Amino acid sequence: MQRFARFVALLVLLALGAGQAVAGVEGDTIQAEVNKAPNGLALTPPMGWNSWNKFACDVNEGTVRATADAMAASGMKAAGYQYVVIDDCWHGPRDANGFITADAQKFPSGIKALSDYVHSRGLKFGIYSDAGRLTCGGRPGSQGHEYQDALTYARWGVDYLKYDWCNTGDRNAREAYAVMASALRQSGRPIVFSMCEWGTAKPWLWAKNTGNLWRTTGDIFDSFSTKDPKRDWAHTVTDIVDLNEPLWSYAGPGHWNDPDMLEVGNGGMTPTEYRSHFSLWAMMAAPLIAGNDIAHMDENTRSILLNSEVIAIDQDRLGAQGHRVATEGTSEVWTKPLANGGIAVLLFNRSQQPATITATAQQIGLNGKGQMHARDLWAHRQVDMRAGALTATVEPHGVAMFRLDS
Ligand code: GLA
């Protein structure tokens, strides 16, 4: 009861202050929230599935249930995929008291029943909202309803909130995300907070104690490097890599750079390009949120999303984001330090021709580490490291990925 009274008081406060710049007592409260320790969640990059990349606004409870079933049965759950997240367009109107409801056509059983279903499959449940008056898809946003929405999500058993940035007017991003972070904390339920403001206000500089992950770019587009002529804000895989890679020092356990959800299996890239996309995301310690129809995926897609040796690089508990250590024309060498003193090494060929790429001992940072053993994480076999260097002929748009251990 006491908690509810507190919620109501905060609701009034926020209804008065929503959309205003941070100032005065409220500003101090928000600042105190920003400075608080993070929620202790997402100590490795979150893994799961999100409806948007494949289904956009065509999502409904049948799709979500089938996805949860497939995740549990296909080996994805066992491989670490955990969160089943409904993106935009699940919302109906707010009720007379301002509480959000579900779209009754698409989710006739309601969100609580769906959340229970996902949990019954041993998985976690996520949902989507927006810091503005409306979501990007034109559904009700959370502005002015943050505490009420957080309470609703907690009652529904939500474990993950993706919080978007459309229709926010002149709202201050740091303030807006701090309000929802505070609301989630006070809901009493552990909820991973996924910030989706596309990197506009550089959240890597201020959001470490606010969100568990923050998008660093505009939306991904299912293409290796060919731009979408109709959507200049959408980014190809190589665009995103170039925007997200320089931010490597800001990522760590509980707070990750998010280069957007995976497109693996959605049809716009070749299997080689999808392997590169997945490998680069793992090197960047990115959240691995599948964005395909996992209830109907083919063997190729499955073999990429379920490559446990690549997943282990992403999920390494040191939580370091890997980065590029050498570039020669269109050939790149990347490294990522691992918790056991090992190193992940990626050779990346951006060109349309095969390329022989070498990572030298110095580039890898082997000096003083003694003899190490290398394993090819796509061929699943040990490889020879001549004089401490790694060399491979890499197919066009492809990668070779290794794990080095002493
Ligand atoms: C924005 C986000 C996407 C998706 C859509 C939904 O574009 O960046 O990831 O959530 O909104 O409308």
Side-chain angles (χ1 to χ4, degrees):
M1 198 55 216
Q2 219 178 6
R3 183 183 287 158
F4 190 67
R6 204 164 160 208
F7 262 94
V8 172
L10 282 161
L11 266 176
V12 172
L13 189 72
L14 286 160
L16 294 172
Q20 306 293 312
V22 179
V25 176
E26 188 195 347
D28 291 346
T29 310
I30 290 167
Q31 196 54 51
E33 289 294 339
V34 170
N35 292 338
K36 266 195 192 159
N39 52 18
L41 302 171
L43 297 181
T44 59
M47 292 178 68
W49 172 86
N50 172 297
S51 53
W52 185 255
N53 283 355
K54 173 71 185 176
F55 297 99
C57 273
D58 276 338
V59 64
N60 59 47
E61 62 180 45
T63 309
V64 177
R65 280 208 205 98
T67 302
D69 290 346
M71 244 166 100
S74 64
M76 286 189 74
K77 179 177 132 187
Y81 294 88
Q82 195 179 16
Y83 294 96
V84 175
V85 183
I86 317 178
D87 206 279
D88 207 347
C89 303
W90 61 266
H91 325 64
R94 291 191 179 277
D95 71 12
N97 294 318
F99 285 92
I100 190 70
T101 65
D103 181 315
Q105 251 84 54
K106 296 176 173 185
F107 297 90
S109 315
I111 303 297
K112 175 71 168 71
L114 193 53
S115 161
D116 287 348
Y117 188 88
V118 170
H119 289 138
S120 76
R121 294 291 176 276
L123 297 162
K124 293 195 165 158
F125 180 69
I127 213 162
Y128 162 101
S129 188
D130 186 288
R133 297 275 176 210
L134 295 173
T135 69
C136 299
R139 304 300 174 111
S142 288
Q143 186 171 357
H145 293 273
E146 289 90 345
Y147 284 80
Q148 195 174 19
D149 285 354
L151 184 59
T152 303
Y153 303 151
R155 286 175 174 165
W156 285 345
V158 166
D159 306 299
Y160 183 111
L161 174 69
K162 173 174 169 181
Y163 201 48
D164 215 340
W165 190 241
C166 279
N167 305 302
T168 43
D170 59 2
R171 241 192 137 173
N172 172 289
R174 190 168 173 165
E175 172 262 351
Y177 282 94
V179 173
M180 187 48 100
S182 162
L184 292 176
R185 260 195 297 264
Q186 299 200 30
S187 77
R189 188 173 170 89
I191 299 179
V192 170
F193 190 29
S194 160
M195 300 172 43
C196 179
E197 68 82 79
W198 319 308
T200 316
K202 299 187 169 52
W204 48 89
L205 297 179
W206 49 264
K208 185 175 167 187
N209 294 329
T210 308
N212 297 107
L213 55 155
W214 48 76
R215 282 274 296 280
T216 56
T217 76
D219 288 4
I220 193 168
F221 165 54
D222 186 13
S223 161
F224 182 76
S225 55
T226 310
K227 295 208 181 301
D228 181 345
K230 295 195 282 300
R231 297 185 302 162
D232 59 0
W233 44 267
H235 296 295
T236 66
V237 161
T238 52
D239 284 343
I240 288 187
V241 163
D242 291 335
L243 290 164
N244 194 66
E245 183 272 343
L247 306 176
W248 60 272
S249 66
Y250 298 104
H255 54 275
W256 308 101
N257 289 314
D258 175 7
D260 207 356
M261 303 167 299
L262 298 166
E263 291 283 8
V264 177
N266 280 337
M269 292 184 245
T270 65
T272 299
E273 291 168 342
Y274 279 139
R275 272 195 295 279
S276 299
H277 172 25
F278 195 68
S279 305
L280 285 156
W281 262 232
M283 290 298 285
M284 295 192 294
L288 295 180
I289 308 291
N292 60 314
D293 181 359
I294 61 174
H296 301 102
M297 63 185 165
D298 62 21
E299 202 35 56
N300 228 323
T301 303
R302 187 187 306 267
S303 72
I304 296 171
L305 291 176
L306 289 175
N307 184 329
S308 57
E309 296 196 86
V310 172
I311 292 172
I313 301 302
D314 179 79
Q315 293 291 301
D316 183 78
R317 65 186 163 77
L318 183 63
Q321 179 173 329
H323 61 109
R324 199 184 277 138
V325 292
T327 306
E328 208 184 307
T330 47
S331 295
E332 298 179 1
V333 177
W334 291 55
T335 63
K336 180 184 197 285
L338 304 173
N340 70 345
I343 307 169
V345 180
L346 184 88
L347 310 178
F348 179 31
N349 174 14
R350 291 182 180 235
S351 83
Q352 307 210 39
Q353 308 300 323
T356 300
I357 307 179
T358 296
T360 64
Q362 199 186 12
Q363 287 164 354
I364 301 171
L366 283 182
N367 304 346
K369 283 209 171 240
Q371 178 64 37
M372 293 189 98
H373 304 283
R375 184 165 169 84
D376 182 324
L377 305 186
W378 286 106
H380 304 293
R381 57 163 192 253
Q382 300 302 123
V383 293
D384 202 20
M385 276 187 80
R386 279 170 218 282
L390 271 171
T391 297
T393 300
V394 185
E395 51 187 336
H397 292 182
V399 295
M401 188 168 174
F402 306 93
R403 178 187 180 115
L404 273 47
D405 291 292
S406 23

